[in-house]
Amino acid sequence: MSEVPPENQNSCCRTSRRDIIGAVAALAAAPAIGLVAGPVRAAEAPSGAAPTETITPDQALKEIMDGNARFIAGAPTAHTKDLAIIKARAAEGQWPIVGVLSCADSRVPVEMVFDEPIGRLFVTRVAGNITTPEIIASLEYGIAVLGIKAVVVMGHSNCGAIKAAMENPEVPGQISALFPAILPAVYMSGSDDPMVVTRQNAVIHAATLINSSPVVEAKVKARELKVVPAVYDVATGKVEMLPIPPAMRTTSK
């Protein structure tokens, strides 16, 4: 979230809380009264980027997948825009179009993978790319307040969290707290191949995000948001989008 100058922190924080509460309340009531809340934004997108309000979910996903193609080809462009954005606009706010729930693995540099400049992706990261109340709340903020148009739940090849959950070894500290959220993918996949489990895990948590959040569900039903599971190959750099089986959805596509 954007930083606020010290002299303006009190008033800005009060406004932010009102905006969040109002937007989320309107979205939660959407099945009865319709979706009336628009995104609240402190800054417009930088020159050359499509305004968030006018972009569709499909266009948002196409933008990041075009970026992934540039990344694979070794011809990224985002880094040429970042310094100008930092100097001109980053202190004013953010203008993301896509939210990403990614694994915390250091080999998955999300902005580089999709060749997106600063302010264009709203990224949450946790080992195993699992949904937790905190992760869901963060993505709800991105959807209800910032107006993101799509969420990608992205697993990756050679995921240590997936392998650990499959092996279920004794581990130090609280690492094993990750396992219960990954075990459904182990059981549902019926496979001992970590990549098969990784794909299943991404699908499960994309479906969980839709089915457990009234904010997400309302936007998906209104066709104003898409939630898509995906896997990233750390060897090739390629991102593959996956379908969510209809049986795992409690809402319409």
Side-chain angles (χ1 to χ4, degrees):
M1 302 177 191
S2 56
E3 294 183 359
V4 179
E7 63 273 18
N8 295 330
Q9 281 182 351
N10 290 337
S11 61
C12 286
C13 288
R14 284 197 298 269
T15 300
S16 177
R17 281 194 292 270
R18 286 198 299 268
D19 290 337
I20 294 170
I21 293 169
V24 173
L27 281 167
I33 64 173
L35 293 171
V36 298
V40 177
R41 190 167 292 98
E44 294 301 321
S47 176
T52 305
E53 293 89 343
T54 62
I55 200 168
T56 67
D58 286 333
Q59 288 170 335
L61 290 171
K62 182 179 186 301
E63 178 174 318
I64 66 170
M65 292 307 290
D66 287 348
N68 182 237
R70 293 192 299 273
F71 173 72
I72 295 169
T77 61
H79 65 284
T80 64
K81 305 173 185 177
D82 281 341
L83 186 57
I85 292 172
I86 290 172
K87 288 181 176 178
R89 307 304 297 271
E92 300 175 16
Q94 53 181 317
W95 47 89
I97 59 166
V98 174
V100 182
L101 167 50
S102 169
C103 182
D105 194 295
S106 62
R107 297 168 295 175
V108 188
V110 178
E111 285 83 2
M112 290 179 64
V113 165
F114 291 116
D115 191 33
E116 286 289 348
I118 288 170
R120 206 65 172 162
L121 298 180
F122 189 79
V123 180
T124 59
R125 302 187 68 157
V126 61
N129 47 278
I130 60 177
T131 45
T132 70
E134 296 81 6
I135 289 289
I136 293 173
S138 298
L139 290 170
E140 286 178 337
Y141 175 86
I143 294 162
V145 179
L146 300 177
I148 60 178
K149 301 298 183 179
V151 175
V152 177
V153 179
M154 189 169 73
H156 66 94
S157 59
N158 297 320
C159 180
I162 295 292
K163 292 178 180 178
M166 294 175 69
E167 296 167 5
N168 196 24
E170 289 190 14
V171 292
Q174 300 184 46
I175 296 174
S176 61
L178 299 166
F179 297 171
I182 299 173
L183 287 176
V186 177
Y187 300 139
M188 289 180 66
S189 68
S191 174
D192 58 3
D193 182 342
M195 195 58 188
V196 173
V197 177
T198 294
R199 294 166 70 93
Q200 184 71 62
N201 187 62
V203 170
I204 287 173
H205 286 287
T208 299
L209 179 60
I210 297 172
N211 298 332
S212 64
S213 168
V215 174
V216 177
E217 184 182 33
K219 282 287 192 179
V220 170
K221 281 185 174 179
R223 299 181 184 275
E224 296 177 359
L225 176 76
K226 283 195 171 183
V227 178
V228 183
V231 289
Y232 170 67
D233 190 323
V234 298
T236 66
K238 182 177 177 58
V239 175
E240 177 190 0
M241 298 291 186
L242 306 171
I244 300 178
M248 296 180 68
R249 290 176 174 266
T250 61
T251 185
S252 59
K253 292 183 179 180

